[in-house]
Amino acid sequence: MYLRQLTEQQYDRFCNDLAARAAISPLDPSYTVTLVINQAEYQVKLQPERHNTIAVLHALRVCREPDGPSYDLITQNAVLTAFLELLLYQGIPA
């Protein structure tokens, strides 16, 4: 898990984008954002926290194969940091 504190304006804008574009499950406070990077699909799990903080909980790499998808769990902070920076810089994909 990786935590990042944002300014109040960044936090508000990011949370509004999450609410509008990210997938959410009932009774789950986290959001799932799908990123496609170099033909690889990643599902990044994000959770807004108190004090203008965003938590990146984990990510899944989804490998689409003919016999069914396979998943790789990503928990390394360096990779989670990179995913959050991409989302902050480029915005949340629609």
Side-chain angles (χ1 to χ4, degrees):
M1 178 170 68
Y2 171 73
L3 297 171
R4 166 93 188 269
Q5 188 165 7
L6 305 174
T7 66
E8 187 173 346
Q9 290 176 339
Q10 287 176 320
Y11 180 81
D12 290 340
R13 185 175 55 239
F14 192 74
C15 288
N16 288 338
D17 285 349
L18 277 176
R21 298 182 181 163
I24 189 167
S25 300
L27 303 175
D28 187 2
S30 62
Y31 296 86
T32 303
V33 176
T34 301
L35 292 173
V36 177
I37 302 169
N38 293 336
Q39 291 79 37
E41 179 182 334
Y42 299 92
Q43 295 179 352
V44 183
K45 197 79 147 167
L46 303 158
Q47 182 171 316
E49 298 286 336
R50 297 182 319 181
H51 308 297
N52 302 329
T53 302
I54 298 292
V56 185
L57 304 176
H58 64 268
L60 286 176
R61 181 173 188 219
V62 182
C63 299
R64 306 277 179 195
E65 299 173 6
D67 55 338
S70 64
Y71 303 94
D72 295 321
L73 181 64
I74 300 170
T75 58
Q76 295 92 357
N77 281 345
V79 179
L80 298 179
T81 302
F83 287 144
L84 181 58
E85 291 300 322
L86 281 171
L87 292 171
L88 289 171
Y89 182 73
Q90 295 180 346
I92 298 170

